[in-house]
Amino acid sequence: MTEKKAIATRDAYGEALVELAAEDERIVVLGADLTGSTRTLWFAQKYPDRFFDFGIAEQNMLNAAAGLSLVGKIPWVSTYAVFVAGRAWEQIRTTTCYSNLNVKIGGAHGGISVGPDGATHQALEDVAIMRVLPNMIVIVPADYHETKKAVAWACKHVGPVYVRFGREPVPVVTKPEDPFIMGKANLIHDGNDVTIANNGPTLREAMEAVEMLKEKGISARLLNIHTVKPIDRKAIAKAARETGAIVTVEEHQVMGGFGSAVAEAVVQTHPVPMRFIGIQDRFGESGTPEELFEEFGLTAKHIVAAVEEVLKAKNLTS
Amino acid sequence: MVDQAKLKELEKIAHRIRCDIIWTLAHAQSGHPGGSLSATDFGVALYFYAVKHDCKDCCWPERDRVVFSKGHASPLIFSLLAESGYIERDELKTFRQFGSRLQGHPNLECAGIEVGTGSLGQGLSIAVGMALGLRMDGKPNRVYCVMGDGENQEGSTWEAIMSAGHYKLDNLCAVLDSNRLQIDGWVEDVMGLQPIAEKWRAFRWHVIEIDGHDMAQCVEAFDQAKQVKGQPTVIIANTVKGKGVSWMEDVAEWHGKAPKPDRCRDALNELACPAEYFDF
């Protein structure tokens, strides 16, 4: 794969907030003492009157956002995904989602690539616990451009949205002109033998896997599915029907997350063999993102192995 | 000073609301009488004296906001909304029944409800956000939050108290229904909170303590709260759980249990409610 410029999706989030705030004065941002690393500091410096630090007290922050939405604001709450989705989950459930309030949640430091901070700060469950909530939309953008489009879309949408960001720079692999339609998968590469369905910044690994598979004579379709909920059932059913096998890729527990959402769509439309790349029911640990991707089985090489395995299952059933 | 005629009128409304609460519970055979009856008098002072609102337009932008953090007081809340004219009084008969807008704990289906509540420890944070937003826009509207004393045990409540003090939200007024009881018994036995007034003061709030069943004190407390600048106000209303029905008073058992129809008739008789309340 050719080296492309790398930017963390959290940086794109910080940039997007500053840009969007200029167009819509209803946008306000709430932070919980992590404004630097969530990149909301950029907004806070530009719009100090529209930024509120709530200190290390996430539950209150979430419901204060709910209150702000009820008086016409578009609040973005940001902290690490573990704390925003985890600590304040019941506030999100019972206040924001039950009343279908216009609260936007930015979960930073999603996934194992958080690295040296270790398991406590690596959110591996947030997508699962957000997507289970009625009225909630869950988006995990793959790179810089997709993040900016997702944040802009979320500002226009009226209702709760969870957007997950990564800490580490990742190659910018999508283009500014690529469509971003909430709930719709983007076809990155067409193929007939198998489908790789990716969610989030692991897209670079999935793209590399497609190239490696090509060399082995395997034609893989690559779908990038930024929206976990609502999941694009149509694209998934079509992929299942036309390629007969699916491997999902996510930087999250395989239980309950993106892979599960795809599986739910597959079994209700066109059941085919599946394999799941993601965290296999373990906590994370300290290390470099590269070491952790290797240890937890998230690299292109692991995707290729999963494809080979799912193809065996496909050939057995066909 | 509020004139005596207004106080008498408010007391009359409070009496009707108590009848409505029992009547609502009699039909539902489910719900929370104790904390509804304890919050009735200041609740009436809030809705029919302190708060600026319009039952014909529940989305009127200039209205004050009321967040009932103690959403389990729904028999009281819906009775207040019926008395205000947001809903028909007859609809109270559908409380907690399938298909009703009057859910066990209030939600946005019902006109006059600002936000769904019922999970304790959440309401004050919502009120903080509302107060911040209204102040940002330079609006004069006030935000009221009615809380139970037991929910002061929630950590999130203290986060909210801390932030309101920090942001000096003088457009925010919390009312603490200090009936001293929670489901498991006396608050002080379950998880003691005293000295509660000192705690709120330490978190930079202005504290007013009143007899929550004395209408004149309730009304004056809301007036006084409006004058406080530079900090939020909490009115600690000392109340009696189940107030008005002798055998419910100070009895934790009546926190979340509706009396059987016969007992409801006893309660309505004791309250001297009119004949139309005995239709169940």
Side-chain angles (χ1 to χ4, degrees):
Chain A
M1 198 172 86
T2 52
E3 265 315 298
K4 297 199 174 82
K5 193 182 168 198
I7 310 175
T9 54
R10 62 172 167 159
D11 290 349
Y13 171 55
E15 258 184 55
L17 287 178
V18 172
E19 289 165 10
L20 293 161
E23 296 163 20
D24 193 335
E25 61 179 22
R26 293 173 301 169
I27 296 172
V28 296
V29 175
L30 289 71
D33 198 40
L34 290 166
T35 50
S37 48
T38 57
R39 302 300 192 239
T40 51
L41 182 64
W42 303 340
F43 178 97
Q45 285 168 339
K46 184 100 194 257
Y47 299 101
D49 297 340
R50 291 158 66 180
F51 176 81
F52 302 100
D53 205 322
F54 276 82
I56 308 166
E58 295 80 9
Q59 298 174 52
N60 181 47
M61 173 171 70
L62 256 299
N63 273 0
L68 281 157
S69 79
L70 284 162
V71 293
K73 304 295 174 194
I74 303 174
W76 277 91
V77 293
S78 275
T79 183
Y80 292 173
V82 170
F83 311 131
V84 75
R87 181 76 61 91
W89 183 83
E90 205 250 337
Q91 274 78 7
I92 298 172
R93 171 194 178 270
T94 308
T95 296
T96 286
C97 287
Y98 183 41
S99 289
N100 199 15
L101 302 181
N102 198 21
V103 173
K104 316 300 169 188
I105 303 166
H109 286 43
I112 197 94
S113 56
V114 168
D117 269 350
T120 51
H121 287 56
Q122 295 161 344
L124 302 176
E125 310 81 7
D126 52 318
V127 169
I129 61 178
M130 287 295 104
R131 90 176 175 96
V132 76
L133 297 172
N135 294 327
M136 182 64 90
I137 285 168
V138 180
I139 302 174
V140 185
D143 72 355
Y144 174 82
H145 294 305
E146 207 167 86
T147 302
K148 292 192 88 168
K149 291 172 202 167
V151 175
W153 177 85
C155 287
K156 299 269 180 257
H157 172 74
V158 179
V161 182
Y162 180 77
V163 191
R164 183 200 218 209
F165 310 110
R167 178 183 185 276
E168 284 301 293
V170 287
V172 181
V173 290
T174 68
K175 294 180 199 67
E177 63 271 22
D178 288 344
F180 179 92
I181 303 168
M182 192 282 294
K184 289 280 166 234
N186 285 2
L187 180 67
I188 304 289
H189 189 274
D190 209 359
N192 310 314
D193 297 331
V194 63
T195 296
I196 299 170
N198 175 77
N199 174 242
T202 45
L203 180 57
R204 67 192 188 282
E205 301 292 340
M207 289 171 86
E208 201 178 323
V210 168
E211 295 304 315
M212 289 162 72
L213 288 163
K214 204 181 280 176
E215 283 168 26
K216 289 172 180 269
I218 298 167
S219 160
R221 175 178 303 185
L222 176 54
L223 285 180
N224 183 45
I225 307 182
H226 43 69
T227 310
V228 180
K229 183 189 175 185
I231 196 82
D232 188 349
R233 268 172 85 123
K234 223 171 137 185
I236 292 165
K238 186 168 184 281
R241 207 167 42 242
E242 293 175 0
T243 69
I246 295 179
V247 172
T248 60
V249 183
E250 66 194 302
E251 207 183 321
H252 184 277
Q253 300 288 356
V254 294
M255 279 191 263
F258 168 73
S260 299
V262 173
E264 288 158 15
V266 167
V267 297
Q268 291 177 86
T269 54
H270 190 93
V272 295
M274 286 185 70
R275 291 296 181 271
F276 304 89
I277 292 288
I279 310 298
Q280 307 290 336
D281 199 18
R282 294 168 65 185
F283 281 105
E285 60 183 281
S286 293
T288 65
E290 295 74 25
E291 286 167 337
L292 295 170
F293 260 51
E294 184 63 38
E295 168 65 21
F296 286 84
L298 302 174
T299 69
K301 181 185 75 185
H302 294 96
I303 299 169
V304 168
V307 164
E308 287 173 333
E309 208 185 295
V310 83
L311 285 176
K312 275 185 211 151
K314 174 187 169 181
N315 294 333
L316 279 177
T317 54
S318 60
Chain B
M1 269 304 277
V2 185
D3 64 65
Q4 287 302 310
K6 180 69 184 174
L7 285 179
K8 282 274 167 281
E9 183 202 326
L10 292 171
E11 281 162 3
K12 263 192 189 162
I13 296 173
H15 177 254
R16 264 205 303 279
I17 294 284
R18 284 201 164 84
C19 295
D20 287 340
I21 289 168
I22 301 297
W23 184 64
T24 301
L25 291 163
H27 281 279
Q29 282 300 292
S30 166
H32 296 74
S36 293
L37 292 167
S38 62
T40 296
D41 299 302
F42 69 76
V44 166
L46 186 63
Y47 268 78
F48 301 98
Y49 178 76
V51 169
K52 195 169 58 170
H53 62 138
D54 179 5
C55 71
K56 304 235 167 11
D57 182 6
C58 59
C59 299
W60 180 41
E62 301 313 312
R63 73 194 185 280
D64 292 334
R65 306 310 202 267
V66 180
V67 177
F68 257 93
S69 191
K70 50 175 290 180
H72 59 273
S74 44
L76 165 66
I77 300 165
F78 294 134
S79 297
L80 290 169
L81 294 181
E83 179 74 26
S84 301
Y86 287 98
I87 58 174
E88 294 290 327
R89 178 171 263 114
D90 224 38
E91 196 172 347
L92 293 174
K93 288 198 272 193
T94 70
F95 175 56
R96 283 184 172 244
Q97 286 167 28
F98 182 69
S100 173
R101 295 191 296 171
L102 312 187
Q103 293 286 295
H105 295 79
N107 68 11
L108 288 176
E109 294 291 309
C110 182
I113 297 295
E114 296 285 353
V115 60
T117 53
S119 169
L120 296 175
Q122 298 208 27
L124 188 62
S125 300
I126 303 169
V128 163
M130 288 174 162
L132 269 177
L134 291 167
R135 189 174 71 181
M136 271 180 85
D137 292 344
K139 298 241 173 160
N141 317 54
R142 294 182 62 75
V143 181
Y144 294 91
C145 181
V146 179
M147 306 167 68
D149 52 356
E151 72 174 310
N152 273 254
Q153 291 160 346
E154 288 278 9
S156 57
T157 295
W158 293 102
E159 294 181 6
I161 294 170
M162 178 170 59
S163 66
H166 176 82
Y167 282 114
K168 303 182 168 65
L169 296 174
D170 54 18
N171 55 348
L172 173 63
C173 176
V175 191
L176 196 61
D177 181 15
S178 187
N179 62 32
R180 299 158 292 117
L181 276 172
Q182 58 189 112
I183 298 176
D184 278 359
W186 294 103
V187 171
E188 275 307 286
D189 295 338
V190 175
M191 185 52 66
L193 285 163
Q194 295 301 336
I196 192 79
E198 279 82 343
K199 286 189 174 72
W200 283 73
R201 268 190 209 103
F203 279 69
R204 310 178 197 176
W205 283 61
H206 179 72
V207 178
I208 303 172
E209 280 197 82
I210 61 166
D211 172 350
H213 300 306
D214 181 318
M215 194 57 80
Q217 287 190 35
C218 294
V219 161
E220 276 164 34
F222 286 120
D223 279 345
Q224 196 191 322
K226 284 182 191 171
Q227 304 306 318
V228 175
K229 297 293 167 216
Q231 62 182 151
T233 295
V234 58
I235 299 169
I236 299 179
N238 292 303
T239 58
V240 173
K241 200 153 188 160
K243 177 72 176 179
V245 179
S246 55
W247 40 271
M248 282 189 187
E249 289 188 358
D250 281 343
V251 180
E253 186 192 341
W254 295 106
H255 169 91
K257 188 176 86 171
K260 296 273 179 282
D262 280 355
R263 296 292 267 166
C264 285
R265 283 186 197 97
D266 291 345
L268 290 169
N269 275 321
E270 188 181 339
L271 287 163
C273 300
E276 65 259 31
Y277 282 101
F278 292 79
D279 66 342
F280 51 89

